[in-house]
Amino acid sequence: MNIEDVWPLFALRLETPRLVMRPIRDEDFPGLVEAALRGIHEPDRMPFGVPWTDWEPERLTRSMAQFHWSLRANATVENWGVSFTVLHEGVPVGIQEMHARNFAGRRTIDTASWLTAERQGAGLGKEMRAALLLFGFDHLGALWAESSAASWNEASLGVSQSLGYERNGVSRAEPRPGQPVDEIRVRVSAEQFVRPSWSLSVEGAERARDHLLGPATSG
């Protein structure tokens, strides 16, 4: 028996032309923390609903591990979340998340992500989101994908638009006290999704489906 038999998601691996994405393993945390501490965004604006990049390094480090451990611990076939380590040239450079609530009924995934600032501007953010959508639509059977971004976050909204997302409302958030922002919600259907020119390589898809959806409903 190996760790993939204990936790089948560890057998999952997505590979794009430039990236490898795999569910976060404990050994990934040091590299992910180092990537986050090198900087993700300009300090005067907060792109996240929870301002975790403002925290002191010790709190950030522990909270990152606790949050992603909690996704493993609380996953059920009705509600789950999977966080992928994003590797570029073998180095952790960010995280791509996928969440679902009542997936059997809603057939919808929600996504969130971050990419270290030093790797931004080269299309990697679009590549990692496209990889997740390909996996969600083609291997899990999702019909819709949803996301959101602060109204000022043109880079994230631009990625969404380029992949076929349409705007789906506005909500108000306050990631930092006294700094409210509008959040733009977006969504894309499997039919609207603008597929990349490259193909996604997937390992461990069947085991991941069984783990997330249950053997009776995967297929």
Side-chain angles (χ1 to χ4, degrees):
M1 179 175 289
N2 54 38
I3 191 62
E4 290 82 5
D5 296 314
V6 175
W7 197 250
L9 284 181
F10 286 149
L12 182 60
R13 176 185 173 99
L14 312 181
E15 189 166 350
T16 73
R18 296 183 291 175
L19 303 173
V20 171
M21 296 166 56
R22 66 188 186 202
I24 293 177
R25 296 183 176 224
D26 287 358
E27 58 263 33
D28 294 334
F29 283 123
L32 290 169
V33 168
E34 290 172 1
L37 291 177
R38 288 196 297 271
I40 299 171
H41 58 87
E42 295 296 329
D44 58 329
R45 283 179 164 174
M46 174 53 63
F48 306 118
V50 175
W52 60 275
T53 49
D54 285 347
W55 297 340
E56 293 297 321
E58 183 177 357
R59 181 185 178 191
L60 184 154
T61 299
R62 293 181 178 178
S63 295
M64 181 184 291
Q66 287 176 321
F67 172 73
H68 295 291
W69 284 333
S70 76
L71 294 183
R72 296 181 201 163
N74 296 321
T76 68
V77 294
E78 292 84 15
N79 305 292
W80 43 262
V82 182
S83 297
F84 291 80
T85 298
V86 179
L87 299 156
H88 181 234
E89 298 176 343
V91 178
V93 296
I95 290 175
Q96 177 73 63
E97 298 177 25
M98 173 177 60
H99 301 266
R101 294 178 292 106
N102 182 23
F103 184 82
R106 297 178 67 240
R107 301 287 291 277
T108 300
I109 56 173
D110 298 276
T111 68
S113 65
W114 62 264
L115 180 68
T116 187
E118 63 193 14
R119 303 297 175 107
Q120 294 173 18
L124 297 181
K126 179 178 178 179
E127 193 166 320
M128 58 199 251
R129 180 107 65 95
L132 200 69
L133 294 179
L134 288 167
F135 177 69
F137 290 144
D138 296 347
H139 295 272
L140 297 182
L143 299 179
W144 290 92
E146 298 179 337
S147 190
S148 65
S151 58
W152 56 262
N153 195 341
E154 296 178 358
S156 179
L157 293 171
V159 166
S160 296
Q161 183 177 9
S162 69
L163 292 172
Y165 287 77
E166 295 182 347
R167 296 198 176 197
N168 188 39
V170 180
S171 59
R172 196 69 165 159
E174 189 184 22
R176 286 171 170 163
Q179 298 183 24
V181 297
D182 284 342
E183 278 198 348
I184 308 298
R185 298 193 300 273
V186 295
R187 72 172 188 165
V188 62
S189 69
E191 291 76 18
Q192 293 169 324
F193 173 42
V194 178
R195 292 173 174 266
S197 58
W198 43 265
S199 297
L200 179 69
S201 173
V202 182
E203 297 178 7
E206 184 175 355
R207 297 175 73 178
R209 283 196 304 269
D210 287 349
H211 181 86
L212 295 173
L213 311 183
T217 56
S218 66

